[in-house]
């Protein structure tokens, strides 16, 4: 697998070389390539860049939902946000959810992929079972698990002989959300692992077998190292997705913030401030804060990965 | 070869021609319909948030209006209840695409920028359609008045009730000679009744369903009992919080005791109605549950929330007609909106059957309404309303309920102590009082919301 660093390096060198050879015909590079990326750039600008810039501006105003009478108030919204316990709570819930979900998804997806990879008979059935939940819309998955977690009539309590108030008690609600998310989204990471497992050359295992390595040793010394890149990818994607958790939480909690606000996520709080409290300026400010946090996480991951790649290259 | 002499180009040409012709055809139809609406009839666009039983009752009333006023075409749209509705209404009014008539909870009107997002009613015009201030209780009419103008025309009062199963209570000896629940005037009375009722309850059912985990219901119950204790929220100038934490603690401890004494089960979640239908003796619910329980043919009664702290008071909100802001409001559609609202308010007998208490006093005092059961048993709630304070952040599912409701829940389920929860409620009230209304940039103290 190539990393971002190794892809970028030759490209940069190539661009420099191209710059010298195309000096006589300036702009030709854009004429050829530019038109191909223009549709993407136009949409990206319209739906990402422009809203982002507009959001930054709105975060410095006291704009309301109706878009009338907004005034520039400087950094007031940001100052308020830093003192807002509800925002910190919401951030805490999103972070806690991420901490619970990400390792579980990585481990579970790996185990399921190993299972599906090694079982010879009816392999298609396993793949189907593990992947199909991912195809469900979040509302369907959320409603399904709302029924399953129902304390009186739900299957979860019935099967395990429990009496747990899953969705109505603050100490269980987040756990219920995590369980639902694992079931619903593990299929995607499972598929990534399965594809990676299938691409490990068989001769490595054969050589290890000849050297007397057992199944456990082959897993530890061949499979896991060969899957390191895909594990990094799974973890990165899951972190970014989990931090933005929203839909399953609101569906399972009947569009509320969960028992005692225990499952109100950051995205949900932003939505509430913008569309329930009509404070678009403030909602923009906290979404910019969230954007910065997520960007920092993504950059930190890239930086860590680059360091590791450089170490490996040494 | 026997194939029809139609080439590919001809086929495409014919298809294209058909498409163009169809386009013109539909365009013609469209303009014809518009012409019909604009010249032959007055059209009133009306947005409401009524679904379920309320929805079918409203549609029946609209149909009756259409039959009585063939010159007015009512185009009604039912939107999703709660905040999505209010967001759409606000944006439509701000973007000058507002409907001619809308419905809101009266508690939300103060926060909805009256004068900018809402237009005031023409009281004289309403009077010509048979609706006057004298047809309302003064307090209810005044709730719709802001800065001296009427912005909300109440249709009903909906209240939180104590529903009881007569069959279970009869077994427990808790019914009086009139076949109604024995009077309850103190906390001890109430828990005594619960204790007796529990002994007559089938196994596996809770004694009372009171939406323990629901921030809205818990908040509504809190408002009711806090009002029974004579508690206040803010001073008249809206600059000081006068919230009494001792009284609040009393109320929170009272709600909590239902759980700690085992009468209500937090694990039951939102199956209160089902439990009641299955034989649970009590359910605290909104009056909109009347059609559900009557439909299940239960032997039941309903009283306002029991006056356990002495003074009767039960939480009340009100559906009210509003005129979303239009820059060119006036003319035939506006008049028709006035006529429609006045018609529905004065013909709310059908509405009352759905459990709501009609705001229009002549309907409320009719023998026909007085004969409705169990409505007659709780109609007095009209005179003992416990309302949220009249500030921009209050009202059904508003910011106040969102901020304070979860605190009440935390005390009721036992994860926070009542006195600590009461202090947190006071802190939240202070924060909200200092907050600016995003619609007009003014705090509660800076006016705009005072009657």
């Amino acid at each position: 697998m190539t990393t971002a660093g190794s892809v970028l390096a030759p490209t940069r060198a190539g661009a420099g070389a191209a710059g010298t050879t195309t000096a006589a015909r300036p702009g030709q590079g854009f004429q050829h390539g530019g038109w191909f990326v223009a549709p993407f750039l136009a949409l990206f600008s319209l739906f990402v860049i422009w809203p982002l810039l507009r959001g930054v501006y709105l975060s410095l105003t006291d704009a309301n939902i109706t878009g009338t009478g907004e005034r520039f108030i400087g950094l007031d919204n940001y100052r308020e946000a830093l003192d807002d316990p509800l925002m910190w709570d919401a951030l805490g819930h999103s972070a806690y959810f991420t901490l619970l979900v990400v390792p579980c998804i990585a481990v579970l997806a790996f185990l399921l992929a190993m299972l599906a990879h090694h079982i010879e008979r009816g392999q298609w059935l396993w793949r189907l079972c593990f992947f199909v939940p991912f195809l469900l819309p979040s509302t369907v998955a959320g409603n399904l698990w709302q029924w399953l977690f129902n304390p009186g009539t739900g299957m979860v309590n019935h099967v395990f002989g429990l009496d747990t108030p899953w969705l109505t008690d603050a100490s269980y609600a987040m756990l219920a959300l995590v369980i639902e998310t694992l079931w619903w989204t593990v299929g995607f990471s499972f598929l990534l692992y399965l594809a990676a497992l299938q691409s490990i050359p068989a001769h490595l295992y054969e050589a290890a077998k000849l050297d007397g390595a057992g199944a456990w040793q082959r897993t530890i010394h061949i499979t896991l190292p060969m899957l390191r890149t895909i594990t990094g990818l799974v973890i990165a994607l899951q972190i970014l997705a989990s931090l933005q958790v929203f839909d399953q939480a609101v569906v399972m909690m009947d569009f509320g913030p969960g028992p005692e606000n225990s499952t109100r996520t950051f995205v949900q709080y932003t939505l509430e401030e913008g569309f329930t409290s009509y404070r678009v300026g403030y909602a923009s400010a906290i979404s910019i804060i969230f954007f910065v946090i997520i960007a920092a996480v993504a950059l930190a991951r890239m930086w860590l990965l680059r360091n590791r790649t450089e170490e490996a290259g040494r | 070869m026997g194939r029809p002499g139609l080439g590919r180009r001809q086929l495409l040409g014919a298809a294209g021609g058909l498409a163009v012709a169809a386009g013109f055809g539909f365009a013609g139809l469209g303009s014809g319909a518009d012409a019909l609406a604009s010249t032959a009839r007055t059209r009133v666009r009306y947005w409401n948030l009524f679904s379920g039983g309320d929805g079918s009752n409203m549609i029946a009333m609209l149909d009756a209006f259409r039959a009585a006023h063939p010159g007015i075409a009512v185009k009604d749209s039912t939107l999703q209840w709660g905040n999505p509705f209010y967001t759409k209404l606000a944006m439509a009014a701000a973007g000058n695409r507002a409907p001619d008539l809308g419905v809101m909870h009266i508690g939300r009107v103060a926060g909805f920028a009256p004068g900018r997002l809402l237009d005031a009613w023409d009281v004289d015009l309403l009077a010509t359609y048979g609706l006057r201030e004298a047809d309302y209780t003064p307090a209810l009419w005044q709730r719709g008045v802001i800065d001296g103008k009427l912005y909300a025309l109440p249709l009903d009062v909906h209240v939180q009730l104590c529903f009881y199963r007569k069959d279970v209570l009869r077994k427990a000896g808790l019914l009086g000679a009139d076949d109604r629940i024995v009077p309850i005037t103190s906390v001890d009375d109430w828990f005594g009744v619960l204790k007796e009722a529990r002994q007559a309850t089938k196994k596996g059912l809770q004694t009372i369903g009171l939406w323990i985990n629901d921030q809205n219901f818990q908040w509504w119950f809190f408002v009711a009992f806090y009002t029974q204790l004579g508690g206040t929220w803010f001073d008249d100038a809206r600059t000081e919080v006068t919230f009494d934490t001792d009284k609040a603690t009393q109320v929170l401890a009272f709600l909590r005791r239902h759980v700690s004494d085992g009468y209500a089960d937090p694990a039951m979640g939102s199956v209160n109605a089902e439990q009641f239908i299955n034989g649970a003796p009590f359910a605290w619910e909104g009056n909109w549950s009347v059609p559900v329980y009557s439909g299940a043919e239960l032997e039941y009664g309903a009283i306002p929330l029991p006056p356990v702290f002495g003074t009767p008071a039960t939480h009340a909100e009100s559906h009210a007609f509003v005129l979303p802001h239009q820059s060119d409001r006036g003319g035939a559609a506006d008049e028709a909106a006035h006529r429609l609202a006045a018609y529905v308010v004065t013909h709310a007998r059908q509405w009352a059957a759905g459990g709501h208490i009609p705001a229009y006093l002549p309907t409320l005092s009719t023998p026909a309404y007085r004969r409705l059961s169990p409505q007659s048993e709780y109609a007095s709630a009209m005179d003992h309303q416990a309302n949220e304070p009249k500030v921009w952040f209050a009202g059904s599912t508003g910011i106040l309920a969102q901020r304070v409701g979860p605190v009440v829940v935390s005390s009721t389920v036992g994860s926070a102590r009542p006195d600590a929860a009461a202090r947190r409620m006071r802190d939240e009230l202070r924060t909200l009082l200092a907050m600016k209304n995003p619609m007009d940039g003014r705090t509660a103290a800076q006016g705009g919301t005072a009657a």
Side-chain angles (χ1 to χ4, degrees), chain A residues 62 64-66 68 71 80 86 150-151 163 165 168-169 257 259-261 264 269 272-273 275-279, chain B residues 83 86-87 90-91 94 108 112 116-117 213 215 266-267 269 399 402-403 406 409-410 413 415 435-436 438-439:
Chain A
D62 65 352
N64 64 42
I65 189 89
T66 65
T68 52
R71 289 176 308 136
E80 185 186 336
L86 288 178
N150 186 302
D163 194 19
T168 51
D169 189 311
E260 300 173 61
N261 292 343
R264 180 191 274 136
Y269 184 56
E272 283 174 11
E273 284 298 299
F275 291 93
T276 307
S277 305
Y278 307 139
R279 304 181 69 208
Chain B
N83 285 307
Y86 291 121
T87 302
M91 293 177 88
R108 295 288 295 254
F112 220 71
R116 196 157 58 77
L117 293 185
N213 300 296
Q215 62 181 42
I399 305 175
Q402 261 183 50
R403 293 289 180 94
V409 171
S410 68
V413 299
S415 59
M435 205 190 247
K436 285 177 184 163
M439 292 298 197

Side-chain angles (χ1 to χ4, degrees), chain A residues 231-259:
Chain A
T231 301
L233 181 71
V234 163
I235 288 175
L237 291 177
Q238 278 304 325
I239 288 176
L240 297 182
S242 303
L243 279 174
Q244 297 172 62
V245 56
F246 168 69
D247 36 4
Q248 66 265 48
V250 294
V251 170
M252 283 176 72
M253 302 302 161
D254 286 328
F255 294 85

Side-chain angles (χ1 to χ4, degrees), chain B residues 120-121 123 133 141-142 144-151 390 448-451:
Chain B
W121 287 94
V123 182
E133 185 177 348
W141 180 270
Q142 281 305 317
V145 174
I146 286 162
D147 288 339
K149 290 181 187 153
L150 182 74
Y151 282 96
K390 193 172 176 179
T449 58

Side-chain angles (χ1 to χ4, degrees), chain B residues 14-165:
Chain B
L18 273 175
V20 171
F24 279 123
F26 282 122
L29 271 178
S31 61
D34 284 347
L36 194 70
S38 61
T39 58
R41 308 175 85 185
T42 303
R43 193 174 72 151
V44 181
R45 286 170 305 137
Y46 164 45
W47 285 9
N48 66 66
L49 38 64
F50 299 119
S51 55
D54 281 351
S56 39
N57 275 338
M58 179 51 74
I59 287 168
M61 290 160 77
L62 294 180
D63 286 343
F65 176 82
R66 288 184 182 108
H69 302 86
I72 299 174
V74 180
K75 171 87 180 71
D76 59 312
S77 309
T78 300
L79 296 107
Q80 192 194 339
W81 181 85
N83 285 307
F85 176 80
Y86 291 121
T87 302
K88 285 191 187 84
L89 197 64
M91 293 177 88
N96 205 25
R97 294 182 301 276
D100 305 300
L101 183 65
V103 166
M104 282 182 74
H105 289 96
I106 206 163
R108 295 288 295 254
V109 170
F112 220 71
R116 196 157 58 77
L117 293 185
L118 296 178
D119 293 329
W121 287 94
D122 183 337
V123 182
D124 297 331
L125 189 56
L126 284 174
T128 63
Y129 297 131
L131 194 58
R132 281 165 297 272
E133 185 177 348
D135 296 327
Y136 283 90
T137 54
L140 185 55
W141 180 270
Q142 281 305 317
R143 292 199 76 207
V145 174
I146 286 162
D147 288 339
K149 290 181 187 153
L150 182 74
Y151 282 96
L153 183 70
L155 165 64
D156 64 32
V157 170
H158 47 274
V159 294
Q160 297 305 318
L161 297 174
C162 170
F163 288 92
Y164 60 93
R165 290 279 303 234

Side-chain angles (χ1 to χ4, degrees), chain B residues 22-352:
Chain B
F24 279 123
F26 282 122
L29 271 178
S31 61
D34 284 347
L36 194 70
S38 61
T39 58
R41 308 175 85 185
T42 303
R43 193 174 72 151
V44 181
R45 286 170 305 137
Y46 164 45
W47 285 9
N48 66 66
L49 38 64
F50 299 119
S51 55
D54 281 351
S56 39
N57 275 338
M58 179 51 74
I59 287 168
M61 290 160 77
L62 294 180
D63 286 343
F65 176 82
R66 288 184 182 108
H69 302 86
I72 299 174
V74 180
K75 171 87 180 71
D76 59 312
S77 309
T78 300
L79 296 107
Q80 192 194 339
W81 181 85
N83 285 307
F85 176 80
Y86 291 121
T87 302
K88 285 191 187 84
L89 197 64
M91 293 177 88
N96 205 25
R97 294 182 301 276
D100 305 300
L101 183 65
V103 166
M104 282 182 74
H105 289 96
I106 206 163
R108 295 288 295 254
V109 170
F112 220 71
R116 196 157 58 77
L117 293 185
L118 296 178
D119 293 329
W121 287 94
D122 183 337
V123 182
D124 297 331
L125 189 56
L126 284 174
T128 63
Y129 297 131
L131 194 58
R132 281 165 297 272
E133 185 177 348
D135 296 327
Y136 283 90
T137 54
L140 185 55
W141 180 270
Q142 281 305 317
R143 292 199 76 207
V145 174
I146 286 162
D147 288 339
K149 290 181 187 153
L150 182 74
Y151 282 96
L153 183 70
L155 165 64
D156 64 32
V157 170
H158 47 274
V159 294
Q160 297 305 318
L161 297 174
C162 170
F163 288 92
Y164 60 93
R165 290 279 303 234
K166 289 189 176 180
D167 48 351
V168 185
L169 263 57
R170 191 175 294 124
K171 228 189 291 174
L174 292 167
L175 287 190
D178 57 355
D179 218 28
R180 290 183 176 183
I181 186 171
V182 293
I184 295 154
T185 54
S186 69
V187 172
D188 287 344
D189 276 0
W190 172 244
F191 281 105
V193 162
L194 284 180
K195 197 173 168 191
E196 299 289 321
R198 175 158 61 185
Q199 284 161 7
T201 306
K202 272 191 290 184
K203 276 213 159 35
L205 295 172
Q206 60 183 349
T207 316
I208 181 167
L210 40 71
W211 292 96
I212 300 159
N213 300 296
D214 187 289
Q215 62 181 42
N216 287 312
F217 275 95
Q218 285 296 306
W219 165 238
W220 294 334
F221 299 148
F222 179 88
V223 171
F225 294 109
Y226 183 67
T227 307
Q228 289 189 6
L229 278 170
T232 57
W233 309 94
F234 311 113
D235 66 347
D236 290 343
R238 304 279 194 267
T239 51
E240 292 288 329
V241 171
T242 59
F243 186 72
D244 187 325
T245 49
D246 290 338
K247 287 177 176 161
T249 305
Q250 240 179 299
V251 174
L252 293 169
F254 168 72
L255 290 172
R256 165 89 191 116
R257 195 173 152 192
H258 290 86
V259 180
S260 54
D261 284 6
Y263 296 117
D265 185 353
M268 287 300 169
S270 56
V271 296
N272 300 328
E274 292 88 331
Q275 288 253 314
F276 187 68
I277 289 171
N278 287 342
F282 290 105
W284 284 0
E285 279 269 10
N287 58 223
W288 49 85
S289 298
V290 163
V292 179
Y293 299 152
S294 295
E297 298 187 352
L298 304 182
E299 200 190 345
Y300 76 102
I303 53 168
L305 294 180
V308 293
F309 294 114
T311 318
T314 197
H315 174 263
E317 250 286 8
S318 183
H319 293 121
F321 286 112
V322 291
L323 300 172
H325 175 64
Q326 295 176 337
S327 57
D328 55 349
R329 184 166 279 286
D334 184 49
E335 278 180 34
H338 279 71
R339 188 190 280 269
L340 172 60
Y343 179 91
V344 175
V345 170
T346 54
H347 292 77
R349 169 72 177 73
Q350 171 105 24
W351 195 244

